[in-house]
Amino acid sequence: MAYRLTPLPAAADEPAQAYACRLARRINLPLRFFCTDIGIPRQEVIKGSTDAVHRIADYGGADPAPLLAATVQHTEGRLYTLNGQDLVRDSLRRTRLRGCVTCMKEQLAHGAVWDVSIRTSWCLASVYTCPIHEVGLVDIGTGKDAMFNEWSLLMEDFLSSDATDSPPPERSPGKFELYLMERAMHGPPESGGEVNDLPMHVAMRVMPFIGQTLLHGTNAHEPVTDAEIIKACDTGFQALVARGGLEQSLADIDAGAGPRMSQQGPQHRLGKHLFSFLTNAVSQEAYQPVIDRVRTFVLDTIPLDRGSMLLGRPVDTC
């Protein structure tokens, strides 16, 4: 049985997966039953396949172009794309969904529960703030693939709970958050400088490690709170947008480590927090341009024994 619906406008920056959930909620169906009834494989909707997005848009009477541009698409394995930007699974909030309480309450005040939409930017792991209302995103729900499944049900349960009674924290979005949202919607902005040369998922991982080490030196540790993460990302972003910013950042970190002592290797000079991250990234091809530049810097500034291993290669190998 196929249901005939009056058109449902897609919201700005709304992924097709969430739009499909809203269409299903409007006729009080779980997404899996809705997809079966209209003849679209649910897994194709969850993956954000181009064909599924076009069919969902056609069914709901929405323009497929902006819907497709705002949809996270699963390509293979851990790889995803968003409007031409490369992402990996860790770039996304999949099982811990966050959102802006104020956005959702405003939508609910002017419509039905199925008029409350999700923004794609809420699904990016490095975005913690709503730029519209300048408040922090809050936890909405958790579950298997919460981002791509019953969004409307999660949101409805959340809005009917006591969790919405507490006001969200007020803060302005960080510069790196704004950069990511702009890049996701319109491509790399000119203000991104050298960061634009990095795949988006690499930029999302590198910024906080560089920034946290610049802030706290070789004793840096993993930032814990949203505010700490935003500050670390902004510090890294500000440092790396300039041409040669990575090398200058490494030089500043090295200088901050104090006088160089004999037998001090790159982990001592750059800090365990940053160097362990770089070491773990060696096996990932997308990080190789960053790894190569760090390796060149270390070889030029820190004496190492020939044959010792440095970021996956012996020091006598260029």
Side-chain angles (χ1 to χ4, degrees):
M1 175 181 178
Y3 295 86
R4 298 298 177 185
L5 303 176
T6 55
L8 179 67
D13 188 26
E14 179 179 23
Q17 295 93 343
Y19 181 65
C21 288
R22 294 202 294 125
L23 289 172
R25 182 65 186 85
R26 189 161 66 158
I27 52 177
N28 202 30
L29 280 180
L31 180 62
R32 62 183 185 278
F33 293 153
F34 172 74
C35 291
T36 298
D37 287 342
I38 65 175
I40 302 177
R42 182 176 72 110
Q43 194 59 31
E44 291 303 299
V45 175
I46 293 173
K47 289 171 60 178
S49 72
T50 300
D51 179 65
V53 173
H54 277 271
R55 293 174 66 183
I56 286 291
D58 179 68
Y59 191 83
D63 183 353
L67 199 61
L68 187 61
T71 295
V72 176
Q73 296 184 287
H74 184 203
T75 54
E76 61 176 339
R78 299 178 65 254
L79 305 180
Y80 297 78
T81 62
L82 171 58
N83 199 23
Q85 300 302 309
D86 293 333
L87 300 172
V88 297
R89 186 169 296 163
D90 293 343
S91 310
L92 304 167
R93 294 192 180 102
R94 294 179 57 83
T95 59
R96 179 180 174 228
L97 192 60
R98 286 182 143 193
C100 173
V101 177
T102 309
C103 281
M104 292 186 290
K105 284 185 174 181
E106 286 183 354
Q107 290 174 323
L108 186 61
H110 294 90
V113 66
W114 52 78
D115 291 315
V116 181
S117 63
I118 185 175
R119 290 182 176 272
T120 302
S121 56
W122 297 354
C123 303
L124 297 177
S126 298
V127 173
Y128 300 87
T129 312
C130 172
I132 299 173
H133 298 102
E134 296 194 334
V135 296
L137 304 184
V138 299
D139 289 337
I140 294 170
T142 59
K144 183 179 180 181
D145 288 348
M147 181 175 75
F148 295 142
N149 284 281
E150 310 299 342
W151 155 249
S152 288
L153 296 180
L154 286 172
M155 175 277 308
E156 187 174 358
D157 289 343
F158 172 75
L159 288 178
S160 62
S161 71
D162 295 338
T164 60
D165 294 340
S166 300
E170 296 184 2
R171 64 165 173 260
S172 298
K175 291 182 179 180
F176 187 59
E177 291 181 285
L178 293 172
Y179 165 80
L180 288 178
M181 288 184 270
E182 177 72 13
R183 180 168 175 172
M185 293 180 65
H186 305 294
E190 186 176 345
S191 61
E194 201 167 78
V195 177
N196 290 343
D197 297 338
L198 301 176
M200 188 161 153
H201 69 93
V202 173
M204 291 169 71
R205 289 289 290 156
V206 168
M207 294 309 121
F209 280 92
I210 292 289
Q212 188 75 346
T213 307
L214 285 169
L215 287 169
H216 301 285
T218 55
N219 292 321
H221 52 79
E222 192 80 19
V224 177
T225 67
D226 291 354
E228 289 175 345
I229 297 171
I230 292 169
K231 184 176 181 180
C233 287
D234 281 358
T235 301
F237 180 60
Q238 183 177 356
L240 267 58
V241 291
R243 189 63 55 183
L246 176 58
E247 288 76 11
Q248 184 59 55
S249 296
L250 296 173
D252 291 342
I253 295 168
D254 180 43
R260 185 174 292 123
M261 308 294 289
S262 62
Q263 305 304 315
Q264 280 191 336
Q267 179 167 297
H268 289 90
R269 304 305 303 175
L270 301 181
K272 183 177 181 180
H273 179 66
L274 175 58
F275 196 74
S276 295
F277 161 70
L278 295 170
T279 300
N280 292 331
V282 163
S283 61
Q284 302 179 50
E285 184 178 352
Y287 287 84
Q288 288 312 304
V290 175
I291 298 296
D292 289 343
R293 290 173 63 182
V294 173
R295 194 171 188 277
T296 298
F297 172 84
V298 171
L299 291 174
D300 288 344
T301 57
I302 302 175
L304 295 174
D305 294 332
R306 179 179 294 273
S308 59
M309 294 299 293
L310 172 62
L311 297 176
R313 286 179 288 167
V315 297
D316 55 353
T317 301
C318 297

